[in-house]
Amino acid sequence: LPSKEQKALEPVPLPSKEQKAGLQLRYKLALAVGGDGSNMIYVIIEGFFLNAYLLERCCLDPAIVAVIQLTKGLFDAFNDPVMGFMTDRTRSRWGRRRPWLLFGGPVFGLSYIALWNTLPQEASATWKFVYYLAAYMGVSIGQTSIMVPCGALVAELTTSYDERSTMGGLRAVGGSFLGTIAAIIHGIITNDQSVASYRISAFVFGSLIWSLIWMLFAVIRETPMSH
């Protein structure tokens, strides 16, 4: 077996022509819309509407909502590095990152739909806590399955500092724009605050989240790894 000194002296593979060149426009748009766009649809709608929905429409106790959100926050701190570890060690014919987009799309979309499904008023407080906590955890897993691979893909697809900076700005602007439009439409759909209107909005945007992520999976191609 080679020694540590021999391994240290081994030449580092040079970046491929694809990595040196600028990112294709379709890659940039796919990452901005399919990655950050799908995520910001949830983030902005959640920020403006979810607390009021859980407290007023679902009639959850404020303490229960606080516990659910605290648990999700702690879970996020744990699952982000775990997802990074898992994607680094994934080997498939689609690459390391893309399989997680294929997995994360339905998990994110369906969990989003479940989160906005109003349980019957006669449901017990315990059942409501378990249901909405599970939906929150599903959203968290779906989010992480998309955002961690997307962040890694940008660094792996190009070695150009300018291209990475441009891509970062495009992702931020594209995601915020799409999320803001989605929040406005959600507010219009749910204006009457009926159970049916929340379910309609959930189906519309849950399906959109899933579709955008699978669009990203279909468009993006990973740079082959050097072995």
Side-chain angles (χ1 to χ4, degrees):
L1 294 175
S3 65
K4 291 183 179 179
E5 291 76 10
Q6 288 174 312
K7 287 184 178 180
L9 293 174
E10 290 179 357
V12 177
L14 295 174
S16 66
K17 291 181 180 180
E18 290 79 6
Q19 287 176 305
K20 290 180 180 179
L23 278 173
Q24 298 179 39
L25 179 60
R26 65 191 182 100
Y27 282 14
K28 294 178 180 179
L29 294 177
L31 284 164
V33 175
D36 290 68
S38 61
N39 182 57
M40 292 303 290
I41 288 173
Y42 164 73
V43 169
I44 296 182
I45 291 178
E46 178 211 25
F48 281 99
F49 298 100
L50 189 56
N51 270 352
Y53 164 77
L54 293 175
L55 293 170
E56 299 171 12
R57 179 70 267 176
C58 301
C59 300
L60 288 178
D61 187 276
I64 291 178
V65 175
V67 170
I68 290 173
Q69 294 179 341
L70 175 62
T71 304
K72 179 182 180 290
L74 295 174
F75 183 70
D76 283 339
F78 165 78
N79 74 353
D80 284 3
V82 170
M83 182 58 64
F85 177 87
M86 293 172 68
T87 63
D88 282 345
R89 284 153 182 79
T90 298
R91 298 294 182 271
S92 78
R93 62 192 179 95
W94 296 312
R96 294 191 293 173
R97 318 299 179 185
R98 290 177 67 225
W100 293 96
L101 304 179
L102 193 64
F103 160 80
V107 173
F108 199 171
L110 293 174
S111 297
Y112 179 89
I113 292 172
L115 189 60
W116 294 94
N117 176 50
T118 307
L119 295 180
Q121 292 297 322
E122 59 269 19
S124 68
T126 301
W127 170 235
K128 288 182 179 181
F129 171 75
V130 171
Y131 176 84
Y132 289 110
L133 178 63
Y136 248 121
M137 294 301 101
V139 167
S140 177
I141 293 170
Q143 271 187 302
T144 306
S145 299
I146 306 309
M147 298 312 296
V148 171
C150 282
L153 276 170
V154 173
E156 293 172 354
L157 288 171
T158 179
T159 57
S160 167
Y161 172 83
D162 291 336
E163 282 294 295
R164 290 177 179 179
S165 299
T166 301
M167 187 65 252
L170 185 60
R171 290 174 65 193
V173 172
S176 298
F177 176 77
L178 190 58
T180 301
I181 296 300
I184 293 172
I185 296 173
H186 172 85
I188 294 172
I189 294 174
T190 62
N191 185 54
D192 63 355
Q193 297 190 3
S194 66
V195 171
S197 66
Y198 280 110
R199 287 175 177 164
I200 290 170
S201 178
F203 180 78
V204 168
F205 291 111
S207 301
L208 181 60
I209 287 170
W210 185 344
S211 300
L212 290 176
I213 294 167
W214 273 16
M215 177 274 296
L216 173 59
F217 170 83
V219 170
I220 210 76
R221 292 293 182 273
E222 293 189 43
T223 302
M225 293 178 57
S226 298
H227 296 284

